[in-house]
Amino acid sequence: MKCDFLIIGSGIAGLSLALKLSRIGSVIVVTKTKISESNTNYAQGGVAVVQDEGDSFASHIQDTLLCGDGLCNRDVVSFTVKEGPERVNDLINWGVSFTKTGEGLQYDLGKEGGHSKRRVLQGSDFTGREIERVLVERVREEENITMLENHVAVDLITTTKAATEEKVCHGAYVLDVDSDRVKTFRSRSTVLATGGAGKVYLVTTNPDIATGDGIAIAYRAGARCANMEFFQFHPTCLYHEDAKSFLISEALRGEGGILTLKSGNTFMDKYHSMESLAPRDIIARAIDAEMKKNGDSYVLLDMTHKGKDFLVKRFPNIYLQCLGFGIDMAKVPIPVVPAAHYLCGGVCVDEHAQTDIKNLFACGEVACTGLHGANRLASNSLLEAVVFSHRAYKKIAQDRGMAEGQEITIPEWDASRVTTSDECVVVSHNWDELRRCMSNYVGIVRTNKRLLRAHERVRIIAAEVDEFYRRYHITKDLLELRNITQVGEMIIRSALLRKESRGLHYNLDYPQKSDSALRDTIITKGIKDWGF
Ligand code: FAD
Ligand code: SIN
């Protein structure tokens, strides 16, 4: 199949870019399952953006830098914050409705951990669903956009220029799950908008699609990836045996929610002056420490003092979901645990979302832009996605005239050597083992010994998965396992390379920050001397 622009992923990054690129060429969006299934669809809190007169760009920039713990790229933080209001206007113009105050004149701004001001635009407590709904509607109206569901990108198609050794991307191989065939897509520009990788861990707020595919795909193609050790654990995921991965938004703590132990005693005052609204890394570590000390499997988030009327109005989705699990949050505190939530690292991109590989871009959670540094400030992710997808659009539009007309011959996918496996248990077993290993050894608090142990295990799993991949017919499960294994290995390797504790990476063997470690952890394929 041929198009001007191939976009892989249909969350906020992929769809907002598709809408803009459709003005200048033909767009194909491939997406793994249903169009709306994405991390975006589950976002609760909102989009951090300066709106209020009492707020300022300087303050949002300062909060972002503080949270990033020394590793943010200052220029990136500055332009992202400053371009935020315009990009949010794009969403509003497409039809996204953010909640307004009672009089309907101003936006009802929420507050979240690490923000010194109220600046989170929200669509009630299901902001992401509102954004995704509108983007899907607009995309369906565009004739220039072809939307292909149940299409899983396998790998990129690249060549290397002999004279300069520069890599060039020409499209991707994509598994069409319904016809069980790998199709070849040729495009002038290809965009990875595949989102995050929460499924690398056992307990996560992310939906099933979040298997780090774009990162693994770019890494295999030779692109640099950075800061994979900085995995953000959200402090408050609902703890209930029937709840798969339901987030209890930080906005609850923004409205006065209090974290307590099972006994009802508060504990956050021991860890940070902002108590229950401290940055996420500090709260997640505090909860982890208290649970281990007391032998508890969860802590509590108490909202009972806010009253039913307020809770139902401000958090209708969360109120109802909790009620469905038998928890009336107006009457009893909500049991919560930390869960893998957001990967701050990803595919290295420049200020135009361009990767190291020519004609390959990466936008949204898949990318490492320099905005988040060692820790992401709440609600800065949706912001980053719209700012960088717009920048990618501008760059692609500007370079269009210079695009190389080189028509290389792309080989069709070769499926002739592979047979169907009768050993699918290998796939399901390794899925489970990989995620358990990551949760037990590469979680919120790390040690060198645990990381080395995890690395050994993951490399064994990787070898087994690789053999399976080469010999047998590919399936979506196998592709995802291959990718979470790759991403898991990258997280462990990056964690071993960072010999300090900073932001989201906490290693008991190096509990302090070190000036000499104040740099990004950059990894590429093929380097065997890893330095640990
Ligand atoms: P996604 O929205 O995850 O979209 C990725 C897309 O790529 C999906 O369509 C997926 O199916 C597709 N895909 C993946 N792999 C492949 C493949 N191999 N082939 C084809 N398609 C593929 N951030 C905020 O700023 N504010 C919030 O309030 C907030 N709340 C959150 C709440 C929850 C529960 C979660 C999980 C995250 C939250 N985040 C929030 C983070 C934010 O939602 C995400 O970082 C952001 O939505 C990512 O957008 P994206 O477009 O990059 O990726
Ligand atoms: C939340 O609503 O707590 C999630 C916000 C975010 O991840 O930015």
Side-chain angles (χ1 to χ4, degrees), residues 68-73 225-230 368 373-374 494 496-500 502 505 513-523 530-531:
D69 209 3
L71 271 191
C72 299
N73 177 321
C225 294
N227 293 353
M228 297 291 289
E229 67 274 35
F230 297 118
C368 182
S494 305
L496 279 161
L497 288 169
R498 183 163 292 282
K499 299 190 183 336
E500 63 160 355
R502 179 185 301 277
H505 173 69
K513 256 184 285 202
S514 153
D515 285 347
S516 61
L518 190 60
R519 57 174 178 274
D520 293 331
T521 310
I522 294 183
I523 54 174
W530 289 326

Side-chain angles (χ1 to χ4, degrees), residues 216-423:
I217 285 172
Y219 179 83
R220 284 194 293 268
R224 285 172 313 144
C225 294
N227 293 353
M228 297 291 289
E229 67 274 35
F230 297 118
F231 214 111
Q232 183 171 74
F233 286 75
H234 196 293
T236 57
C237 184
L238 180 63
Y239 177 82
H240 189 281
E241 59 181 9
D242 298 331
K244 194 172 168 196
S245 53
F246 187 68
L247 180 74
I248 304 295
S249 174
E250 199 153 298
L252 273 77
R253 281 175 283 125
E255 298 297 345
I258 300 164
L259 287 165
T260 75
L261 300 175
K262 277 165 85 175
S263 61
N265 294 334
T266 56
F267 59 93
M268 274 312 300
D269 51 334
K270 284 192 289 179
Y271 294 92
H272 198 275
S273 59
M274 290 174 85
E275 301 190 15
S276 293
L277 257 191
R280 279 181 196 171
D281 56 326
I282 292 163
I283 301 194
R285 269 201 301 281
I287 295 178
D288 188 66
E290 292 292 331
M291 283 180 5
K292 284 192 172 121
K293 193 163 80 191
N294 303 309
D296 291 339
S297 342
Y298 58 87
V299 295
L300 297 169
L301 178 63
D302 193 353
M303 297 300 294
T304 52
H305 54 290
K306 296 298 291 185
K308 183 168 174 180
D309 289 350
F310 171 82
L311 293 173
V312 171
K313 185 154 182 276
R314 174 67 180 89
F315 302 112
N317 177 39
I318 297 172
Y319 185 86
L320 274 183
Q321 291 282 341
C322 285
L323 207 57
F325 293 112
I327 302 160
D328 182 346
M329 67 195 241
K331 293 190 181 146
V332 291
I334 310 165
V336 290
V337 282
H341 183 61
Y342 184 88
L343 179 54
C344 291
V347 184
C348 292
V349 292
D350 69 8
E351 69 274 27
H352 307 293
Q354 197 155 31
T355 70
D356 298 337
I357 300 176
K358 194 171 162 62
N359 299 336
L360 178 68
F361 293 76
C363 299
E365 192 167 339
V366 66
C368 182
T369 63
L371 176 69
H372 309 307
N375 190 10
R376 176 179 68 101
L377 185 66
S379 289
N380 262 358
S381 169
L382 296 171
L383 171 72
E384 179 190 48
V386 280
V387 167
F388 275 83
S389 62
H390 182 78
R391 285 177 155 257
Y393 158 66
K394 295 295 262 187
K395 179 71 180 162
I396 292 170
Q398 179 195 322
D399 289 354
R400 206 161 35 129
M402 297 187 286
E404 292 168 43
Q406 187 194 20
E407 281 286 309
I408 61 139
T409 308
I410 295 179
E412 287 296 311
W413 179 261
D414 177 13
S416 60
R417 285 173 296 130
V418 289
T419 50
T420 302
S421 161
D422 55 1
E423 287 286 331

